[in-house]
Amino acid sequence: MAVLATRTEWLLAARFLQGAGGALLAASGPAALTAVFHGEAERKRAFGWLGSCGGVGLTLGALLSGAATAQGGWRAALAIHLPLVLAALVLALWNFRGHAGRVVHTRFDLVGAVLGFTTIAAAMAFGILGAERGWGASAVLACLAIALVAGSLFARSQRRHPAPLLPPALLRNRGFVFACLLTLLFTTVWVAMFIYVPLHQQAARGHDADHAGRTLLALLMPAMVMPALASRLAVRIGTRAVLVGGCLAMAAGLGLLYLAWTDLSRPAALEWLALAVCGSGAGCLYGLLDYLAMASLPNALAGTGSAAFNVLRLLGDALGAIVPGAVLVQALAPRLAAAIGEPVPREVLNAVAAGQFGALASGGAAAAEAFRGAIAAVPAVLAVLVLLGAVLAWWRAERP
């Protein structure tokens, strides 16, 4: 549908269906593993392989889509996924034949779905518009008000509905809440790396998109290998040690990245090392967090819990763009003001933060210099977030 779309409306509708299908798969995968694997050790290994396969898919998807786009444009990038999806469908039908599962007839919580969607959409709009227009803008405050009202109504509806989308029992489960919080921190940092490392490569170092993509391989390759190894380590030395070690490795990698970005005369190998260390730490968290979330729940709540867990992960995807973007703009504003001798309008700030240095009328050289100094604040803030995750993992992991 997306490949054949001739109008923007059809393309948006097709992408909506793609997103809906991806959400269904993301929610059902961990729940299926929980139902199939029962022992603690084998569950850890299963979720480790889930994390490794996710890393492989992420890497191959980016490489194949990039190559297809270069050869045949955006339609080719969408079409190349069709045989993969069909192959996955055949495998699923073959593997799950004869396993219809237990059907439970309940009334769908339509009101809760609408309120939940409104809450998340308004909250994301608040973050995105706040970073673009300023946190005191009327539209930004309106989004915040809508999110707060819809969120309170959603919470009230969940307490009253016989089959709520977010059962209160999930929020009372400390192990599940811990896994969600740590996943939110991790996903925020992980997604930010995929946005700001290429941006730095192109805007600060002057490399092309191909070079920026190759640089990301230093981040992705360890993340593909480590989940399966981390699951085995978790069986031997415990989950908490692996989680804390993964967070500390990510923080160390981000610290090295900060050193590389504050002085561009340092060798490029330092940035590659930083990304490899960070990717190794991320691989320790990838599948293990899914395991922690699902292992803390009874089988009756596995499906609902998996859906809620992945909604938090998607929220982390959004925060990965919003939080570092706000940090970059705040760090950039005083530098640009000092360079040109007057405050810079918000629109110009946003453009320079995206690497569009020509937006500054007084010249791109001053904008480029200010950008190179400001973007180094991004890995510093991300390191603080993963250190907070390390503290949380040390305090909470493996506690009853």
Side-chain angles (χ1 to χ4, degrees):
M1 183 175 174
V3 174
L4 299 176
T6 56
R7 298 175 57 183
T8 303
E9 294 82 0
W10 284 108
L11 179 60
L12 291 175
R15 298 292 282 171
F16 175 83
L17 291 176
Q18 283 183 280
L24 289 172
L25 291 174
S28 60
L33 289 181
T34 303
V36 172
F37 296 97
H38 303 288
E40 179 182 355
E42 63 178 4
R43 271 190 182 178
K44 285 180 178 178
R45 293 191 187 97
F47 277 97
W49 282 108
L50 176 67
S52 290
C53 290
V56 171
L58 182 64
T59 304
L60 290 179
L63 293 176
L64 291 175
S65 296
T69 302
Q71 295 297 321
W74 63 269
R75 293 183 189 274
L78 294 172
I80 200 171
H81 296 94
L82 283 173
L84 300 177
V85 172
L86 292 175
L89 177 61
V90 171
L91 285 173
L93 292 174
W94 176 77
N95 189 58
F96 290 105
R97 67 190 189 281
H99 296 278
R102 183 169 60 93
V103 179
V104 179
H105 297 282
T106 57
R107 183 165 57 91
F108 179 66
D109 185 9
L110 179 60
V111 174
V114 172
L115 289 173
F117 172 81
T118 303
T119 302
I120 295 172
M124 292 178 65
F126 166 73
I128 295 171
L129 293 177
E132 290 181 353
R133 304 183 184 182
W135 302 102
S138 57
V140 175
L141 295 177
C143 290
L144 177 60
I146 292 172
L148 292 175
V149 172
S152 62
L153 292 175
F154 174 76
R156 185 178 180 183
S157 71
Q158 297 306 282
R159 290 193 298 267
R160 296 184 174 186
H161 199 278
L165 294 175
L166 185 63
L170 286 180
L171 301 180
R172 292 194 296 265
N173 188 309
R174 294 182 178 180
F176 180 77
V177 172
F178 155 72
C180 286
L181 290 176
L182 191 53
T183 298
L184 187 64
L185 290 171
F186 162 67
T187 307
T188 300
V189 174
W190 187 238
V191 171
M193 299 290 290
F194 288 90
I195 298 173
Y196 289 93
V197 169
L199 178 61
H200 183 271
Q201 283 285 311
Q202 295 178 74
R205 293 190 181 273
H207 297 309
D208 58 21
D210 287 340
H211 188 281
R214 290 193 298 271
T215 301
L216 279 179
L217 290 176
L219 185 68
L220 283 167
M221 296 303 288
M224 289 192 298
V225 177
M226 283 304 298
L229 297 178
S231 65
R232 294 180 177 273
L233 282 175
V235 174
R236 292 177 176 270
I237 65 176
T239 303
R240 178 166 64 178
V242 176
L243 290 177
V244 173
C247 290
L248 292 179
M250 289 190 74
L254 288 164
L256 292 174
L257 194 64
Y258 173 80
L259 293 177
W261 286 9
T262 51
D263 186 356
L264 297 185
S265 65
R266 293 190 172 105
L270 178 61
E271 185 166 354
W272 281 73
L273 174 63
L275 295 175
V277 173
C278 193
S280 299
C284 292
L285 305 176
Y286 230 51
L288 200 54
L289 289 174
D290 295 74
Y291 160 77
L292 281 176
M294 295 297 100
S296 64
L297 298 174
N299 287 339
L301 290 176
T304 306
S306 181
F309 181 77
N310 280 283
V311 168
L312 261 293
R313 178 173 279 153
L314 292 174
L315 180 59
D317 291 347
L319 291 177
I322 294 170
V323 173
V327 169
L328 177 57
V329 168
Q330 293 301 316
L332 190 59
R335 286 178 168 82
L336 281 180
I340 65 175
E342 61 181 359
V344 179
R346 171 69 63 169
E347 295 77 11
V348 176
L349 268 178
N350 292 333
V352 175
Q356 301 172 14
F357 303 141
L360 192 65
S362 59
E369 184 64 29
F371 176 87
R372 285 191 286 268
I375 197 172
V378 171
V381 170
L382 297 180
V384 171
L385 292 180
V386 289
L387 286 174
L388 180 59
V391 173
L392 180 63
W394 179 263
W395 172 69
R396 184 65 231 173
E398 294 181 346
R399 292 195 176 193

